[in-house]
Amino acid sequence: MRVVQITDTHLSPGKSHFAPNWAPLAEWLQAARPDLVVHTGDLSVDGADVEADLEHCAGLLRALPFPVLSVPGNHDVGDLPGTRQPANAERLERWRRIIGPDRWVHDQPGWRLVGLNSQVIGGGDAEEAAQFAWLEGVLEACEGRGVIVFTHKPIFVDTPDEGDTGYWSIRPAQRRRLLELFERHGVALVASGHLHRAWTGAHLGTRYIWGPSSGFVVGPMERDMPGDRILGAVIHTLDETVSSEIVALPELRPFVIDDVIHEVYPRHQPAEATS
C-alpha cells in the first residue's frame, strides 16, 4: 500500500499567496498514484476563523481521484487555551462538519493508521481526555497490526526529553504519555507536519518523520530547528514494514513566508505564523 502524506498547504480563496503550488502538487499526486492521501494539517490559511477557507480546501481535496484523510492544524481549528484562536467547540464543529473527523482509524491489511488531533493535546479539557481514552482503546485493539500515527504537531522538536517548546510541539506531560503509549504498543511510525521542515529520526523503536510543507518555507524569522527547508511530500510504503521517502518537489514555487507575513498573517506574532 502506498500512502502519500502532504501537509501545510495553507490555501484560501481570499488569500491566494500559496495557491500556485496546489495544481503542481495535485498533478504530482496523480503521477504518484497513491492508495491513500493523508493531509497532516494546516490545510487552510485561516480556517480557524474563516469558514470559506475550510470549504475551499474541502473542495480541492474532494477533487483528488483518491481517498483523502486529514487531521487539523492550528490554522484550521486553533491551538491551546490562552492562544488567540483556542481550539474550542465552535472551531472543532466547523472542521468536523466541513472536512470530517478530527481523529480517525483507517485499517488496511496488516496495518492500522491513526489520525490524532494534536491541537487539543495539552488543553486539559474533555476533548483531550476523550481523545486519550480513544487512543488507548484503538492501540489496545490493533490485533497485531503495525501502527502508524499521523498528527499535525510533532511530538518533540530537538529531543524527546526537552522542556516545553510552546507553539512548536506537544507539551512535556502529554509527550511523556504519548511516548509511553507508542513504546508499549510498538507504534512503527509517527508522521507530522507543522514545522515546514523535512526530518526523520527514531526513539525507543518508533520512527518519526516531519513532512515538508507544499505551501511555503520559513526563513530566518523561525528559530533554528533540525531538518531541511524544502517543499515536497512523503511517500510511505506499507508492506511487512513501513518505509518512508521524503520527496522534494522542484515544480513547487519556493515561497518564503517571511516575505508576505504582513499580508497573510498580519495579526500574528512571527512565531505563531510560521507553521
Side-chain angles (χ1 to χ4, degrees):
M1 180 182 183
R2 178 187 290 236
V3 178
V4 170
Q5 175 193 356
I6 60 175
T7 195
D8 295 88
T9 45
H10 290 264
L11 298 168
S12 165
K15 294 183 177 181
S16 58
H17 298 70
F18 315 117
N21 277 344
W22 177 255
L25 176 65
E27 184 176 349
W28 176 82
L29 284 169
Q30 297 223 32
R33 301 180 64 184
D35 300 295
L36 174 69
V37 174
V38 175
H39 196 309
T40 48
D42 281 357
L43 287 63
S44 63
V45 167
D46 193 18
D49 277 345
V50 181
E51 184 161 324
D53 276 20
L54 285 187
E55 290 175 339
H56 176 70
C57 294
L60 294 174
L61 294 178
R62 281 196 300 267
L64 294 174
F66 334 98
V68 180
L69 293 170
S70 302
V71 293
N74 49 293
H75 290 294
D76 302 318
V77 299
D79 213 326
L80 296 179
T83 60
R84 190 179 66 83
Q85 295 174 305
N88 57 22
E90 177 184 357
R91 293 187 171 106
L92 293 172
E93 184 280 330
R94 182 184 301 130
W95 170 276
R96 291 162 181 166
R97 172 168 46 88
I98 297 173
I99 303 297
D102 58 315
R103 61 177 186 256
W104 41 261
V105 173
H106 182 77
D107 286 337
Q108 291 293 312
W111 290 93
R112 168 159 285 188
L113 280 56
V114 179
L116 281 185
N117 180 355
S118 62
Q119 304 316 116
V120 301
I121 299 176
D125 58 9
E127 285 285 353
E128 180 187 22
Q131 180 168 246
F132 264 115
W134 169 86
L135 176 61
E136 291 175 0
V138 300
L139 292 179
E140 288 170 359
C142 62
E143 298 176 340
R145 300 180 185 91
V147 179
I148 301 173
V149 174
F150 293 94
T151 182
H152 181 61
K153 285 184 183 179
I155 309 303
F156 56 88
V157 177
D158 295 299
T159 63
D161 59 353
E162 66 195 3
D164 192 342
T165 65
Y167 171 81
W168 302 111
S169 69
I170 302 298
R171 289 177 171 173
Q174 289 79 11
R175 182 192 312 138
R176 288 190 293 271
R177 186 173 178 183
L178 288 170
L179 292 175
E180 191 276 330
L181 282 170
F182 296 162
E183 182 183 16
R184 188 196 322 159
H185 295 286
V187 170
L189 174 68
V190 177
S192 58
H194 188 50
L195 300 185
H196 292 242
R197 301 258 186 152
W199 174 88
T200 186
H203 177 66
L204 296 176
T206 299
R207 291 180 49 244
Y208 292 83
I209 195 160
W210 304 345
S213 168
S214 62
F216 59 79
V217 296
V218 186
M221 66 179 289
E222 178 184 75
R223 81 165 178 87
D224 192 32
M225 296 185 190
D228 299 317
R229 290 184 173 101
I230 62 171
L231 295 180
V234 186
I235 300 174
H236 303 287
T237 303
L238 283 58
D239 199 345
E240 292 185 1
T241 60
V242 57
S243 60
S244 303
E245 177 189 4
I246 296 171
V247 182
L249 299 178
E251 55 266 50
L252 301 181
R253 291 173 60 180
F255 296 111
V256 181
I257 188 62
D258 309 37
D259 299 336
V260 293
I261 188 69
H262 59 290
E263 298 174 359
V264 182
Y265 295 114
R267 294 174 295 174
H268 292 232
Q269 295 298 318
E272 291 186 340
T274 55
S275 309

